[in-house]
Amino acid sequence: MMRTRPLKVALLGCGVVGSEVARIMTTHADDLAARIGAPVELAGVAVRRPQKVREGIPAELVTTDATALVKRGDIDVAVEVIGGIEPARTLITTAFEHGASVVSANKALLAEDGATLYAAAERHGRDLYFEAAVAGAIPLIRPLRESLAGDKVNRVLGIVNGTTNFILDKMERTGAGYTEALDEATALGYAEADPTADVEGFDAAAKAAILAGIAFHTRVRLDDVHREGLTEVTAADMASAQRMGCTVKLLAICERAADGRSVTARVHPAMIPLSHPLASVREAYNAVFVEAEAAGRLMFYGPGAGGAPTASAVLGDLVAVCRNKLAEATGPGESAYTQLPVSPMGEVVTRYHISLDVADKPGVLAQVATVFAEHGVSIDTVRQQGKDGEASLVVVTHRAPDAALSGTVEALRKLDTVRGVASIMRVEGE
């Protein structure tokens, strides 16, 4: 039997995502009510610019006082799509204090200070759901938190930023350089006017922190994630990858150590074999590859950003939280019981693709091989081409600690026969 008294929703933020949430709540009101077991009512919308016309939202619901909105006491669920650290953090904790559960899309806040939010939700007996914070419309957080709760996840490997994937895909398909590909991404609306958060890996790193924390039941903050962007990736790197039967992707990689005593989280460009499922992810799409002990390998794929896809994830959480509210229950909270340390990047075991500009004369390869041996790094393959006294040497290593590989590169730079290090890139996905 459906409850007639509506559940009241406060919408914090009404930009691209927030306006889509409001639209879907209005146009699909009957379906949402049927699925929840009670109608849902948009009780207020907090914005910064109240004079802006917002189609479908009654003017009397619009307010600039977000704090007063979440303090009303009759709000059942607050939907936070403001982004950033403050005032979002204070508004969320205030909502908990005044009886509301929270649905958030705020990856930056969850990665920076998720522990505070979890603690506040638990203290007040409220829900904190955030499916939309990672990979847009792709169901990923809930499968990790619930469907795989009885399994042991060992690795999460994914493309979690659509802007960077579009840029790299364009570079691979057309031979364009980074700047040219970024310009096209900006013109098509895939990149912001200031693309720093995307192209320098900050966005992906926040998502990696969230995924690692859930997958490994330990607290991982943004500062724990090693981060490299794609601004140094060149057309020559893409061509080298193609010669190896690989492509280049900006990957978020979260791994449990082989001995199970630590975890790692990192974001950086990497070559992956064309045979790997992630290699076929094109344009602005996202995909995440999960490796679990019992379930095996799972792949989640779909649009990772945009108003409608992200709003879909928000509404899915809203339905779940409202159902919990009616049942006087709460969903899963923080699971950080393992308290595993996060290892620094230097301890991560990786492979490298290193391209060197060297003198074209006898003994160069032997010198280079000696440097690798002295640092305990085994060489997998070598390719050398030379002409007119200059040559290029491409070395692909076996797996070794990242610190050893970095030390190898620094030693190579000091060789008289090495004119320069043209490119360095990790190899993943085997």
Side-chain angles (χ1 to χ4, degrees):
M1 187 176 195
M2 183 178 294
R3 192 181 82 163
T4 56
R5 184 173 67 81
L7 293 163
K8 294 189 176 183
V9 177
L11 181 59
L12 309 179
C14 197
V16 174
V17 176
S19 60
E20 276 296 308
V21 170
R23 183 189 67 79
I24 295 172
M25 284 185 63
T26 302
T27 58
H28 295 178
D30 291 342
D31 287 337
L32 290 173
R35 295 166 191 171
I36 292 168
V40 287
E41 174 188 304
L42 191 58
V45 181
V47 299
R48 285 184 299 175
R49 298 186 296 274
Q51 68 276 12
K52 181 179 177 180
V53 176
R54 294 171 172 85
E55 187 176 346
I57 298 178
E60 62 270 19
L61 295 184
V62 176
T63 178
T64 57
D65 194 343
T67 301
L69 178 58
V70 296
K71 280 184 172 181
R72 277 176 35 175
D74 64 338
I75 299 298
D76 295 290
V77 184
V79 174
E80 185 271 311
V81 287
I82 298 171
I85 307 302
E86 289 292 355
R89 175 170 48 199
T90 299
L91 290 172
I92 289 173
T93 55
T94 301
F96 290 143
E97 292 168 4
H98 289 80
S101 289
V102 173
V103 173
S104 176
N106 196 331
K107 55 187 172 286
L109 176 55
L110 287 158
E112 178 68 29
D113 197 17
T116 294
L117 305 186
Y118 278 124
E122 182 177 3
R123 185 164 59 251
H124 297 285
R126 307 300 171 199
D127 270 326
L128 173 63
Y129 276 55
F130 48 90
E131 185 68 63
V134 180
I138 304 173
L140 184 59
I141 301 300
R142 196 168 295 146
L144 284 172
R145 285 216 293 184
E146 300 180 28
S147 303
L148 295 173
D151 207 339
K152 181 181 179 182
V153 176
N154 291 317
R155 195 176 197 221
V156 180
L157 173 76
I159 298 164
V160 294
N161 183 275
T163 300
T164 53
N165 200 59
F166 178 90
I167 291 170
L168 291 171
D169 184 45
K170 181 60 62 174
M171 292 174 68
E172 180 191 26
R173 292 212 232 185
T174 68
Y178 163 75
T179 301
E180 184 182 350
L182 173 59
D183 289 343
E184 182 167 351
T186 304
L188 293 173
Y190 291 121
E192 300 287 344
D194 179 1
T196 303
D198 294 324
V199 301
E200 294 293 355
F202 290 100
D203 175 84
K207 296 169 181 176
I210 295 169
L211 291 174
I214 297 171
F216 306 135
H217 304 279
T218 198
R219 284 184 180 170
V220 179
R221 298 182 68 231
L222 181 59
D223 290 345
D224 296 321
V225 182
H226 174 82
R227 175 192 55 79
E228 298 172 28
L230 54 71
T231 56
E232 301 300 319
V233 177
T234 66
D237 292 327
M238 307 301 290
S240 293
Q242 289 176 337
R243 285 192 291 270
M244 288 179 57
C246 294
T247 187
V248 177
K249 299 292 185 182
L250 185 77
L251 298 179
I253 305 169
C254 312
E255 293 179 305
R256 189 191 300 269
D259 62 8
R261 296 178 181 176
S262 64
V263 299
T264 61
R266 51 197 164 102
V267 169
H268 55 71
M271 295 182 180
I272 58 172
L274 293 175
S275 58
H276 194 280
L278 291 177
S280 61
V281 179
R282 299 293 186 183
E283 297 190 339
Y285 278 79
N286 284 193
V288 177
F289 205 66
V290 177
E291 298 177 14
E293 203 164 83
R297 296 182 171 187
L298 309 170
M299 183 164 165
F300 301 83
Y301 170 85
T310 305
S312 172
V314 170
L315 267 295
D317 279 351
L318 179 63
V319 169
V321 169
C322 286
R323 286 171 174 170
N324 291 344
K325 196 86 173 180
L326 292 179
E328 298 182 347
T330 55
E334 183 182 30
S335 176
Y337 71 93
T338 63
Q339 298 182 359
L340 296 172
V342 183
S343 297
M345 187 63 192
E347 297 178 12
V348 174
V349 177
T350 63
R351 296 179 68 200
Y352 266 26
H353 171 282
I354 304 171
S355 180
L356 304 171
D357 295 327
V358 299
D360 186 14
K361 63 182 183 180
V364 173
L365 181 55
Q367 283 186 323
V368 169
T370 297
V371 170
F372 278 90
E374 289 173 348
H375 287 79
V377 178
S378 177
I379 294 175
D380 183 11
T381 62
V382 178
R383 185 177 71 252
Q384 185 174 13
Q385 293 178 326
K387 184 179 180 182
D388 299 330
E390 297 295 330
S392 64
L393 191 66
V394 177
V395 180
V396 180
T397 72
H398 285 291
R399 291 171 65 82
D402 199 79
L405 289 161
S406 297
T408 302
V409 172
E410 290 307 307
L412 289 170
R413 295 182 194 274
K414 297 176 182 178
L415 291 178
D416 292 339
T417 51
V418 174
R419 311 298 193 207
V421 179
S423 69
I424 308 168
M425 191 169 294
R426 295 178 183 87
V427 182
E428 300 284 347
E430 286 85 359

